[in-house]
Amino acid sequence: MKICGYREGHGSGQDARPEWLEEVTLLATPAELRRIAAFLAAAADEMDRVGPGYGHEHLCDRQPGFDDSPQLVVVDAATPSL
């Protein structure tokens, strides 16, 4: 597993490139963490189901209430584009 991300305000535009991160800290409530966990479990199930054609999924598209949160995106580790 690897973690990458964008600094706030630097995640849009054609020149934006992700930076590899050593650590991620989630400032979240217990309810938010449970919803994130459910999202991750569902994404893993979908990744298994789809196989090599799996693209990516955004937390805000799958769990209500995360529209104004930083993006949490799941990508298959076999995806060569990152």
Side-chain angles (χ1 to χ4, degrees):
M1 179 179 93
K2 292 185 177 185
I3 300 170
C4 65
Y6 300 94
R7 286 181 287 145
E8 189 171 10
H10 291 86
S12 60
Q14 290 185 336
D15 294 335
R17 297 247 188 244
E19 297 178 24
W20 296 108
L21 307 175
E22 291 183 16
E23 179 178 313
V24 172
T25 302
L26 299 175
L27 294 149
T29 66
E32 288 170 328
L33 291 174
R34 287 184 185 94
R35 290 178 24 229
I36 292 168
F39 162 72
L40 293 173
D45 291 343
E46 184 71 0
M47 198 179 292
D48 281 339
R49 187 185 72 73
V50 172
Y54 180 86
H56 68 280
E57 296 188 57
H58 294 249
L59 172 66
C60 66
D61 293 339
R62 303 286 185 222
Q63 287 287 337
F66 287 100
D67 295 333
D68 295 328
S69 296
Q71 292 291 312
L72 179 60
V73 183
V74 172
V75 180
D76 187 346
T79 301
S81 63
L82 283 181

